[in-house]
Amino acid sequence: GTPSDNNRDMLDKGRARRTGTKKRVLTETDVLTIRREYIRGKKPSLATLGEKYGVNAVTISNIVNRKTWSHLH
């Protein structure tokens, strides 16, 4: 088929890369707030914090474990 046919087939079968998804960029303030919220007594889940800030749980884990944003105290 044509490239157009192939693209339509990919979309129909869920094989296409998603476009138009917004990538959330965290600020230093977000990171410090995430760490404070996680350290507090309740310890919201990583997934809950991720949903709140528009990122995934791995990103939150990396922040609270200082694998990323380690320059912030």
Side-chain angles (χ1 to χ4, degrees):
T2 66
S4 179
D5 292 337
N6 291 338
N7 287 333
R8 189 172 24 260
D9 185 57
M10 280 191 314
L11 285 171
D12 291 343
K13 294 179 180 175
R15 295 182 186 151
R17 287 190 177 165
R18 297 183 188 259
T19 58
T21 54
K22 293 181 181 179
K23 184 176 181 178
R24 175 72 163 98
V25 177
L26 297 171
T27 65
E28 289 185 357
T29 302
D30 290 334
V31 169
L32 294 172
T33 303
I34 288 166
R35 287 181 180 156
R36 274 194 306 273
E37 288 182 24
Y38 186 76
I39 290 170
R40 278 193 208 142
K42 292 182 181 179
K43 274 201 176 185
S45 73
L46 299 173
T48 299
L49 283 172
E51 288 173 15
K52 180 176 179 179
Y53 288 93
V55 296
N56 75 34
V58 173
T59 300
I60 299 295
S61 175
N62 287 338
I63 289 169
V64 299
N65 292 307
R66 299 184 185 277
K67 290 182 179 178
T68 56
W69 296 87
S70 59
H71 64 285
L72 295 179
H73 299 284

